[in-house]
Each structure stands twice: as C-alpha cells, then as structure tokens.
Amino acid sequence: MSNSSPPPSATAGGGVTTLSDLHADILTTHILTRLDGPTLASASCASSQLRSLSTQHHLWATVCHLTWPSTATSPRLRRLVSAFPGGPRSFFSLSFPLLHPTTTTTALPPPPELISAVDIHYKNNLIFSKVQETETVSDWFRCSPFRVDLLDPKEAVPTAVSHPDCDGACASLAADMTLSWVLIDPVGQRAANLSSYKPVAVNRHWLSGEVQVGFVAVLPRGGRRGASEEHVQCGMVITCGGSERGEMQVREVSLQMEDMDGMHLTGEESLVILHRAMEGKRVRNKRREEEGRKRYKDYLEMKRERRERKLRNEGTLDKLCVAFGVAVFGAWVFFLCF
C-alpha cells in the first residue's frame, strides 16, 4: 500500500496553492526580503499583489544598503536616498545600471556639490567603503584638473586579502574585484554609477610592487564646437600595496577625467559632463562587466584612430611646409640669377 503524501502545492481541498494564497506578511518577510534589486524589480511585474508588496520603502532601502554599504554608513546619505522621488527604489534604478553614453541636454544648473558613495568588493567581500563630499563652486575646483581622492597620501586601509605577488594573483584581482562609484547630486536628486563594475586593466609596478586596478566610464564630451563626436574617459584607479605581513592594503582610490588626447579636464568642464551624464539614459544589461569592457575597448580604438589621423595630418602639413620652403628657396635663387 502506497504511503505517498500529497505534493506541497496541493491544498486540503485538492487545489493548487498560488502566491495569492500566501499571507502578505509571509511574502514580504520570508520571500521578498531575500531578493536582490534586479530580482525584486522583476517580481513587481508578476502580479498586482507582488507589485504592491515589492514597492515598499523598507524593502528597497535594505536592497540599497546591501548593494552599496556606503549608503548605510552616512546619516545624511540615508536621508538623501529616502528623499529621492520614488524613494530608495528610484535611487536603485538610477545607480545600478550602466550609464548610456549619449549626449543629453539639461535645464538644471550644475550642482554646487557632488557626493561619491564608493564600495569595493573582493570575492563578494567588502574591503573598502567610503562617502566623500566634493564642493564644486570654488574657483580652485573649476580651474584645477578634476580629481577626487578618497584617501590621504599616507593613509592605507588594511584588508584580509593577500597582496598579489605574481601575475596569477593580479589576474585574480581582475576577475574577483568589483567597484561601485555612485555619484550623487544632492540638490537635483540624481545619481549615476560611473564604474565599469569589473576592472578594465590591472598593472603591477615593477619597482614598488604596488598594483593599480583601473575602472572606467566612457562619456560623450559634447557642448563644444567640433566635439560632438568626442568622448572622455572617467577613470577610477585603486592602488593596492602590501603590508609587512603580506596582506593587501588599499592606498589610493581616485577619480579623474581625461580627453582622447590624454589631457586632464578641469573641474568646470568635468562637472558639466558628469551632470549631463546623470540626466542621461541607463542600460539595464545583466552582463555589466562585459558591456563596460567593450565600451573601453571601443574607446581605445577611437583613440588609436584619432592619433593616426593626427599623425597623417601632421605629415601632410610637414610636406606642405617643405614644399613651400623649396619653392621660396627656388624663387630666391631665380631672383639672384636674373
């Protein structure tokens, strides 16, 4: 005689149990709280009941704090995230996807301040987290090369990770380290993640042994005559060194902007570009690291083509100058002879 029991999905009356049969508290407490941001957003599209439950403020506040621990450490930033139109859910939808590199226009003036919420993970473990406020109204900021430094020159943040001492360890950093650099406009209540998520380059200094891990966002320059097709590189660099015990230390976390000729942009122009980027579109791509690396590869190709074009133009100009000089010399000789 069979001793089989009814399947878990069957009710006492023989019907099938659906999500709508579960109490809202069970769904919220035991199911929705276990989902990450993209999955929670997908769940909100499944039914009207899930949409009502999955848009609750506290769920998305928790998602934001888990995704970006830096947002939970600053009381001011916690208030800012909650004050976004749509609350933490809106903040997540702006900060999680990659920026779409398109030129946009905005009627809002550039913000008087930028806030950076930066989180670095290695093998899904948090190794660095900080919130940095940068004023943007002083003459010094507007005229100087744009740069955001999160650590002082002699400051080092210890980690529990072994310092990479070979090429294989550097490859591990490239595969397992992630960076999130969320730039926030506290006045316009806009945010954007500038990072490529995964590194686009990892280099070790041959003398000091320090490892530089590079992340990048490629943004359109725009706003200048003849610059509509130009792009700029928003580069983020993490410099890691080794302690006496052989553990890795984070010694530098910085952000800079440079054009396709390798020239650093001023704070004034960088602010306009970043402000325009925060107003732009987002790319909701599940493979963020692949998309980020592809954009950087395309950017390097554009730089190469630009450099070759400049060399060709300079070569043509040199030939014209030589021809002009020969012509002048010939005319002078002709004048002397006759």
Side-chain angles (χ1 to χ4, degrees):
M1 182 174 180
S2 174
N3 192 28
S4 61
S5 59
S9 61
T11 62
V16 176
T17 302
T18 63
L19 284 176
S20 60
D21 296 322
L22 298 177
H23 195 276
D25 290 343
I26 296 177
L27 286 172
T28 302
T29 306
H30 298 285
I31 297 179
L32 297 182
T33 54
R34 300 174 182 270
L35 304 181
D36 59 12
T39 309
L40 186 60
S42 299
S44 67
C45 302
S47 68
S48 58
Q49 180 194 23
L50 283 178
R51 177 172 180 80
S52 176
L53 295 175
S54 61
T55 55
Q56 296 182 61
H57 183 282
H58 74 279
L59 285 176
W60 284 101
T62 301
V63 166
C64 287
H65 298 333
L66 290 176
T67 306
W68 306 291
S70 57
T71 61
T73 59
S74 168
R76 183 193 179 193
L77 195 51
R78 291 174 70 99
R79 293 192 297 270
L80 280 174
V81 171
S82 297
F84 264 59
R89 184 168 182 262
S90 174
F91 180 85
F92 185 89
S93 67
L94 291 171
S95 304
F96 186 78
L98 288 175
L99 282 172
H100 192 276
T102 55
T103 303
T104 59
T105 58
T106 174
L108 297 175
E113 179 187 21
L114 293 174
I115 300 178
S116 298
V118 180
D119 298 284
I120 303 172
H121 288 81
Y122 179 73
K123 293 186 176 180
N124 296 323
N125 295 315
L126 183 68
I127 62 173
F128 181 89
S129 183
K130 189 172 183 179
V131 175
Q132 180 87 358
E133 299 176 359
T134 305
E135 64 84 18
T136 63
V137 294
S138 66
D139 292 337
W140 180 87
F141 171 84
R142 293 183 176 274
C143 298
S144 301
F146 177 76
R147 182 182 176 96
V148 178
D149 282 298
L150 301 189
L151 294 174
D152 294 331
K154 295 184 179 181
E155 187 177 1
V157 177
T159 71
V161 181
S162 298
H163 180 59
D165 55 359
C166 62
D167 293 338
C170 290
S172 177
L173 286 180
D176 299 319
M177 180 175 284
T178 61
L179 167 71
S180 174
W181 193 304
V182 180
L183 196 68
I184 304 164
D185 171 10
V187 176
Q189 295 180 320
R190 305 294 293 176
N193 203 327
L194 301 177
S195 177
S196 53
Y197 185 65
K198 284 293 187 73
V200 297
V202 178
N203 300 297
R204 187 154 63 99
H205 194 277
W206 65 273
L207 182 60
S208 66
E210 291 185 333
V211 178
Q212 287 191 331
V213 188
F215 301 78
V216 71
V218 177
L219 304 174
R221 190 166 194 169
R224 297 170 63 247
R225 179 176 298 179
S228 58
E229 299 299 325
E230 289 188 18
H231 289 74
V232 299
Q233 171 182 312
C234 181
M236 290 138 279
V237 176
I238 303 171
T239 301
C240 302
S243 66
E244 295 181 355
R245 297 182 178 181
E247 298 170 341
M248 186 175 72
Q249 297 176 333
V250 179
R251 296 179 178 175
E252 176 191 348
V253 183
S254 63
L255 180 149
Q256 285 184 294
M257 302 273 287
E258 66 176 44
D259 61 17
M260 299 181 71
D261 295 322
M263 301 295 292
H264 293 297
L265 273 61
T266 64
E268 183 175 13
E269 185 173 7
S270 299
L271 180 62
V272 173
I273 295 172
L274 292 172
H275 181 52
R276 190 185 300 122
M278 284 191 283
E279 293 289 328
K281 299 179 180 179
R282 307 294 190 272
V283 178
R284 287 165 174 79
N285 192 332
K286 294 182 179 180
R287 300 185 178 275
R288 293 181 296 170
E289 60 271 23
E290 295 181 6
E291 180 66 20
R293 287 169 177 166
K294 178 181 180 302
R295 290 184 189 178
Y296 182 63
K297 183 179 179 180
D298 294 341
Y299 176 75
L300 293 180
E301 181 64 19
M302 287 189 292
K303 287 184 65 175
R304 185 189 63 80
E305 293 176 354
R306 178 185 177 89
R307 183 169 58 252
E308 291 179 352
R309 185 166 57 251
K310 289 184 65 176
L311 290 175
R312 288 196 299 268
N313 293 338
E314 291 174 357
T316 301
L317 182 61
D318 291 341
K319 292 178 181 178
L320 290 175
C321 290
V322 170
F324 178 77
V326 171
V328 171
F329 178 75
W332 181 70
V333 172
F334 180 80
F335 176 77
L336 291 179
C337 294
F338 296 94

